[in-house]
Amino acid sequence: MVTAFVLINVQDKQIHELAERLLTFEGITELHLVAGEYDMLAVIRVSDNADLSRLITQKVVPAPGVARTKTLFSLESFSPFDLAHLFGVSG
């Protein structure tokens, strides 16, 4: 399983509309409104890097309301839970 965190700046502060839209994309498991330089953080969990690339470049970045993004990749995750199983992601 590949996990990434996408920081998002929202155009015209369309926060709730964008959140609803992004949550329809398979692989986005959580959205958080954040304070600071960015408006929102999306947690993405997918099977592989190809799925991650498609989701970010074909769905997230061109979504209406997204001004810019910054993606952070998880190199290793630590949890007492089987996250891939919990989120239904193979890999």
Side-chain angles (χ1 to χ4, degrees), residues 7-77:
L7 296 163
I8 302 168
N9 278 124
V10 180
Q11 291 176 340
D12 303 323
K13 303 306 174 199
Q14 305 170 23
I15 301 285
H16 297 298
E17 297 89 345
L18 181 59
E20 289 176 15
R21 189 174 303 116
L22 292 177
L23 284 173
T24 67
F25 301 151
E26 186 175 340
I28 295 181
T29 59
E30 300 167 52
L31 284 172
H32 301 268
L33 300 183
V34 295
E37 183 179 346
Y38 291 87
D39 303 307
M40 186 181 295
L41 175 122
V43 180
I44 296 178
R45 292 181 172 93
V46 292
S47 295
D48 55 41
N49 284 332
D51 286 344
L52 178 63
S53 176
R54 277 189 294 277
L55 178 57
I56 292 172
T57 62
Q58 296 175 17
K59 303 238 177 163
V60 175
V61 170
V66 172
R68 79 180 172 133
T69 65
K70 181 176 188 176
T71 302
L72 307 171
F73 298 89
S74 174
L75 298 176
E76 190 173 359
S77 297

